[in-house]
């Protein structure tokens, strides 16, 4: 096998791998199909074509695989599209392990095409786009190499220079096609297209359970994955929002766990009104991403109305009903991988919520204390408050004390009999749940109604909206203030409220999220109207009142920089080409063009069907004065063009100079001869 | 007759030294057939390319003399077979002869077992005999009574036929014509040459003037050198384009075969040796195109003999002008 065809096969196999990966990133393919494919790809890349001799027999394996997939589909455990995609991947795997011949090559490329189509149906995520482009480039280069190899006789070198231009054109077309495919596909409103249906990298992380167990499960503070994306109206326009996004609240604490007293309040509502609204509501368009992993709606404090909810599943997005539970929790009725909805919230700083609205059992729960609460909790609270009875002032005083006396830690304390006493009096360190629980219970010991709230704290500006990460999950206290309702008081030291993930990881994921968000905004959610607006703006630039606005086109220096970069790339390419020292037959052709131009200046024109060799032979037989000067040039041209001895650096110029000088001598001589012939001759008289 | 000089293969290492060797052979041929330098050169090209030669001409222009001179100049063993209507395959191949003393059959080789065989008036022999020659030309061996006998190397057939008188002949089938690398006509000598012949022929037979200037070993070395000549991909593609042009031409019933393509490549490689080059140019291909292909293309027109030959050559020259050579 030649080196060229090895490269072609590797490109073909890796392209197939990219196509498979474009489906695999959806996270929906069965694990065993992933394993089988990866095994085949690795074997193929190592040059082990295990099925080369038993193509027909091993094709029976595919029948077995098809049967297993069919059973899964019939049993309802597998989506038909997913099954079809998995099968396409395994057909490709079979072909990878078969003998590499033209038929197999075609099948690998074709199954690759099917797989990227499947990938678009399953995910359509940004990562998918990258795999799509990689597949397009590698597959087209592999195909082009195949064409060149079949055209060049065995043993002859591949004419790299001649191939390079059509190859780069082909690759450009492939990339353009891939990008177009990537942009257009999400716009086709196919039912099976679920652009937000995949959990992306890794499993979902957060979600709210029915209980909060103090000192229980591990921390998620350092998780930088984005779980929520929201646009606000009015937009505060700050880089770090620092807002409380509430998910649900808890009122019963048994010493270990927080739970709720009430049950379901409203079943199946398309729109939930939690509190009376007002004129100055903050509107939010929220998207809960697959990484969120729960069904509880999140909204800015204090939510007033929630609705217009859409659940995205692997079979597409559809409207879903909401359910209201106690603790102010709104939950999606149908499970989905991601959700989008709208929410309205009262402006921060007192909600106007009336606690009279709460059922009696829930009102009573706001003062309930665990039976075996450590007496030191009440004593400490009383000592700190020192007679302060006003709920808000008392809460702030206690929160200040907690922040001052206790420290923040993410280290787990492990299972304790009384985690609250352990936090307050033994370890004197804990995380947000400890601080919030301590504040809530200390208030209750003093007869002040309070509850635990969980959700997220923060909001990081990305493009036109805000994102929240899994590490932004937080817990705080709601204090019931007469005439104001529940007011947020956070006992956790302020520095420890936002997520504390690894900075570089956060930055990297931030970059990815930003690109993905931009793609979603300008591709997936880009309406037809938006596109028409852009087209109109391009055709007719805005005038009149908008004259003073800055141009949307890149500034002149951007064009200049692009030009310089382009020139540098071209120069680098030429340099690399020169250094590679490959024979350049076309240079000889350029040389012969130049030679003919010089000869034409002396009136010597090559016939249509005449080669330089024949022209020289004709001139020699005619005894032309320039024939001797042309002899070395003809010889060198033939050597360079057909003899595999390319012209050296500057040789063409030297030869051309010599010819030019011979031609100018010849032209001068001709002129002199003509002048002599035309001159009047003296006659003997 | 002088003995041919023993020249070893190592003596012809480069195209530069190959050219004088080939010129020596052509010069000796020129002594036997005067005034036919171009033809002598072409015959040498055919011999060095490892091809068989078809001489097509009226009787008495020196075809036999040329073949014999070739054998003598190169030191090749020679046999002349006059092909007639009653010539049987065994007459050229040889026969199994029964030995009474040993009670066994022994193979007695026929005249074909020579390095250069002149098949005179090939088209007068019946097809069976022509077919026997076909195997010998294609494979360098003969099969007789189930056993195969290798012919001496180098093995070259020079066949002749009369393009005018076709009565009572068996025209060579296309497949056999295709096995001749080059077809050549000598034509009548120029008037001054004829006059000189008349004046000098009485004194000594022209073959006596031909000296052995080469050897089978040198010929083998030349053939190896010719086969090693570089043929650029663009030139190879040019040859193929020319072949396709003959196949697509409206006036041509059957165009150049793949064997014709290979033969042209081989002849062009040797043609490059004449220019002391180690690579083939489109000019080399053009130089040998007509003698290589004119007898291989079958025209649609009903003309035969010399007219058909000339028309085929004319068509090919026209094609050469139409198919652009690589630059």
């Amino acid at each position: 096998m030649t080196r060229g065809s090895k490269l072609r096969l590797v490109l073909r196999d890796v392209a197939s791998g990219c196509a498979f990966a474009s489906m695999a990133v959806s996270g929906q393919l069965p694990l065993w199909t992933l394993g089988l494919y990866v095994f085949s790809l690795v074997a193929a890349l190592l040059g082990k074509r295990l099925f080369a001799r038993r193509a027909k027999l091993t094709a029976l394996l595919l029948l077995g695989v098809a049967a297993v997939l069919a059973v899964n589909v019939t049993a309802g455990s597998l989506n038909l599209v997913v099954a079809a995609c998995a099968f396409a991947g395994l057909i490709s795997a079979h072909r990878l392990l078969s003998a590499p011949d033209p038929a197999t090559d075609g099948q690998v490329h074709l199954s690759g095409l099917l797989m990227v189509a499947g990938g678009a149906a399953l995910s359509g995520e940004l990562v998918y786009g990258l795999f799509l482009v990689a597949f397009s480039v590698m597959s087209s280069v592999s195909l082009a190499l195949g064409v060149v190899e079949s055209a060049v006789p065995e043993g002859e070198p591949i004419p790299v220079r001649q191939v390079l231009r059509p190859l780069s054109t082909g690759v450009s077309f492939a990339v353009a096609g891939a990008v177009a495919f990537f942009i257009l596909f999400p716009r086709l409103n196919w039912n099976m297209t679920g652009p937000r249906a995949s959990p992306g990298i890794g499993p979902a992380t957060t979600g709210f359970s029915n209980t909060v167990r103090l000192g229980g499960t591990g921390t998620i503070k350092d998780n930088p994955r984005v779980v929520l994306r929201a646009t606000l109206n009015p937009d505060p326009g700050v880089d770090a929002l620092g807002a409380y996004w509430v998910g649900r609240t808890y009122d019963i604490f048994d010493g270990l766990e927080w739970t709720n007293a009430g049950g379901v309040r409203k079943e199946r509502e398309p729109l939930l009104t939690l509190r009376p609204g007002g004129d100055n509501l903050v509107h939010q368009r929220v998207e809960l991403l697959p990484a969120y992993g729960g069904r509880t709606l999140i909204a800015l404090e204090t939510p007033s109305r929630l609705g217009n909810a859409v659940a995205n599943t692997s079979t597409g997005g559809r409207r879903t009903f909401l359910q209201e539970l106690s603790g102010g929790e709104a939950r999606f009725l149908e499970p989905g991988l991601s959700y989008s909805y709208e929410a309205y919230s009262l402006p921060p700083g007192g909600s106007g919520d009336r606690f009279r609205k709460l059922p009696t059992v829930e009102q009573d729960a706001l003062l309930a204390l665990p039976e075996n609460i450590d007496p030191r909790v009440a004593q400490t609270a009383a000592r700190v408050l020192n007679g302060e009875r006003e709920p808000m002032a008392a809460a702030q005083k206690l929160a200040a004390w907690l922040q001052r006396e206790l420290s923040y830690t993410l280290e787990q304390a492990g299972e304790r009999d009384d985690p609250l006493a352990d936090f307050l009096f033994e370890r004197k360190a804990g995380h947000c749940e400890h601080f919030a629980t301590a504040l809530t219970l200390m208030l209750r010991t003093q007869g002040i109604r309070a509850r635990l709230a969980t959700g997220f704290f923060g909001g990081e500006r990305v493009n036109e909206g805000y994102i929240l990460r899994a590490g932004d999950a937080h817990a705080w206290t709601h204090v019931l203030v007469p005439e104001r309702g529940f007011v947020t008081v956070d006992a956790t030291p302020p520095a420890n409220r936002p997520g504390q993930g690894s900075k570089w990881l956060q930055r990297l994921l931030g970059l990815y999220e930003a690109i993905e968000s931009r793609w979603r905004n300008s591709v997936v959610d880009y309406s037809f109207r938006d596109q028409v607006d852009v087209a109109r703006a391009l055709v007719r630039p805005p005038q009149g009142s908008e004259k003073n606005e800055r141009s949307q086109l890149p500034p002149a220096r951007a064009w200049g920089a692009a030009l310089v970069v382009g020139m540098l790339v071209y120069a680098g390419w030429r340099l690399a080409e020169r250094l590679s020292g490959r024979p350049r037959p076309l240079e000889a052709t350029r040389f012969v063009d130049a030679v003919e131009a010089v000869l034409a200046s002396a009136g010597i024109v090559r016939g249509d069907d005449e080669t330089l060799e024949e022209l020289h032979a004709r001139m020699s037989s005619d005894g032309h004065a320039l024939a001797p000067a042309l002899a070395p040039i003809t010889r060198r041209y033939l050597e360079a063009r057909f003899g595999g001895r390319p012209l050296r650096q500057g040789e063409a110029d030297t030869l051309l100079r010599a010819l030019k000088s011979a031609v100018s001598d010849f032209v001068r001589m001709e002129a002199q001869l003509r002048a002599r012939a035309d001159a009047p001759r003296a006659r003997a008289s | 007759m002088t003995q041919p000089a023993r020249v070893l293969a190592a003596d012809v290492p480069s195209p530069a030294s190959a050219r004088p060797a080939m010129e020596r052979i052509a010069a000796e041929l020129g002594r036997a057939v005067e005034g036919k330098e171009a033809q002598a050169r072409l015959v040498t090209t055919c011999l060095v390319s490892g091809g068989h030669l078809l001489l097509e001409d009226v009787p008495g222009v020196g075809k036999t003399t040329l073949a014999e001179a070739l054998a003598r100049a190169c030191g090749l063993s020679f046999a002349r077979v006059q092909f007639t209507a009653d010539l049987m395959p065994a007459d050229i191949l040889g026969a199994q002869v029964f030995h009474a003393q040993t009670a066994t059959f022994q193979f007695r080789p026929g005249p074909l077992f020579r390095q250069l065989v002149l098949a005179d008036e090939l088209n007068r022999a019946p097809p069976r005999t022509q077919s026997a020659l076909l195997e010998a030309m294609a494979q360098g061996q003969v099969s007789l009574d189930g056993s195969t006998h290798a012919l001496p190397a180098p093995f070259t057939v020079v066949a002749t036929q009369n393009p005018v008188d076709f009565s009572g002949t068996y025209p060579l089938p296309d497949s056999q014509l295709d096995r001749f690398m080059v077809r050549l006509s000598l034509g009548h000598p120029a008037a001054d040459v004829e006059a000189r012949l008349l004046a000098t022929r009485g004194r000594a037979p022209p073959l006596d003037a031909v000296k052995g200037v080469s050897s089978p070993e040198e010929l083998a070395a030349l053939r190896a050198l010719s086969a090693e000549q570089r043929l650029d991909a663009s030139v190879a593609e040019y040859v193929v384009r020319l072949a396709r042009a003959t196949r697509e031409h409206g006036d041509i019933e059957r165009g150049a075969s793949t064997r014709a393509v290979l033969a042209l490549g081989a002849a062009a490689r040797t043609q490059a040796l004449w220019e002391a080059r180690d690579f083939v140019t489109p000019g080399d291909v053009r130089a040998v195109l007509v003698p290589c292909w004119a007898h291989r293309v079958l025209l649609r027109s009903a003309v035969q003999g010399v007219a058909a030959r000339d028309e085929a050559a004319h068509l090919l020259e026209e094609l050469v002008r139409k198919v652009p050579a690589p630059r």
Side-chain angles (χ1 to χ4, degrees), chain A residues 44-119:
Chain A
L45 286 174
L46 292 175
K48 309 258 184 269
R49 310 282 168 186
L50 304 176
F51 297 167
R53 293 194 182 160
R54 300 255 189 282
K56 281 184 185 157
L57 195 67
T58 51
L60 289 175
L61 292 173
L62 287 174
L63 275 182
V65 168
V68 173
L69 289 169
V71 167
N72 277 328
V73 171
T74 320
S77 58
L78 206 60
N79 182 303
L80 184 63
V81 176
V82 176
C85 289
F87 191 58
L90 292 175
I91 288 177
S92 188
H94 181 270
R95 299 285 81 198
L96 287 184
L97 293 182
S98 303
D101 56 40
T104 320
D105 285 358
Q107 286 156 357
V108 169
H109 290 300
L110 190 64
S111 57
L113 211 57
L114 282 175
M115 287 195 284
V116 292

Side-chain angles (χ1 to χ4, degrees), chain A residues 152-153 156-157 585-586 589 592-593 596 606 608-611 613-614 635 637-645, chain B residues 230-236 238 275 277-284 286-287 317 320-327:
Chain A
V152 173
E156 295 283 341
L586 282 183
T589 308
V592 80
D593 288 343
E596 283 178 6
R606 176 181 65 88
D608 281 344
D609 56 328
E610 213 173 23
T611 62
E613 199 179 357
E614 286 162 343
R635 186 173 49 79
Y637 157 68
L638 291 173
E639 279 176 357
R641 178 66 180 88
F642 305 108
R645 289 189 284 276
Chain B
R230 177 194 164 94
L231 187 79
D232 190 72
S234 59
V235 182
Y238 177 54
E275 305 297 328
R277 275 194 261 101
D278 61 354
F279 59 90
V280 181
T281 67
D284 296 330
R286 288 177 169 206
E317 278 160 6
V320 165
R321 281 197 295 276
K322 277 186 185 159
V323 178
R327 275 165 69 76

Side-chain angles (χ1 to χ4, degrees), chain A residues 463-507:
Chain A
N463 297 333
E464 301 303 310
Y466 293 92
I467 56 162
L468 288 174
R469 300 176 186 280
D472 294 330
H474 194 46
W476 60 94
T477 304
H478 275 168
V479 185
L480 189 64
V481 182
E483 305 306 320
R484 277 181 73 188
F486 286 108
V487 178
T488 291
V489 178
D490 196 346
T492 310
N496 300 312
R497 284 172 199 165
Q500 289 134 36
S502 152
K503 280 291 169 221
W504 68 265
L505 189 61
Q506 203 161 322
R507 214 168 286 162

Side-chain angles (χ1 to χ4, degrees), chain A residues 25-26 28 119-128 182-200 229 287-290 310-318 337-340 512 516 519-521 523-526:
Chain A
V25 288
S26 72
Q28 295 184 60
L122 292 184
S123 71
E125 294 284 329
L126 190 66
V127 179
Y128 158 77
F182 182 54
I183 289 174
L184 286 179
F185 210 94
R187 289 176 196 274
L188 306 175
N189 194 15
W190 292 5
N191 196 31
M192 64 179 186
T193 311
R196 299 175 189 86
S198 80
R229 189 176 287 129
E287 197 181 339
L288 286 178
L289 299 180
V310 175
N312 298 304
T313 65
S314 55
T315 53
R318 56 175 175 272
L337 283 161
S338 67
Y339 304 92
S340 61
Y512 170 78
E516 201 204 4
W519 177 70
R520 275 188 201 289
N521 291 336
V523 177
V524 180
D525 298 337
Y526 208 55

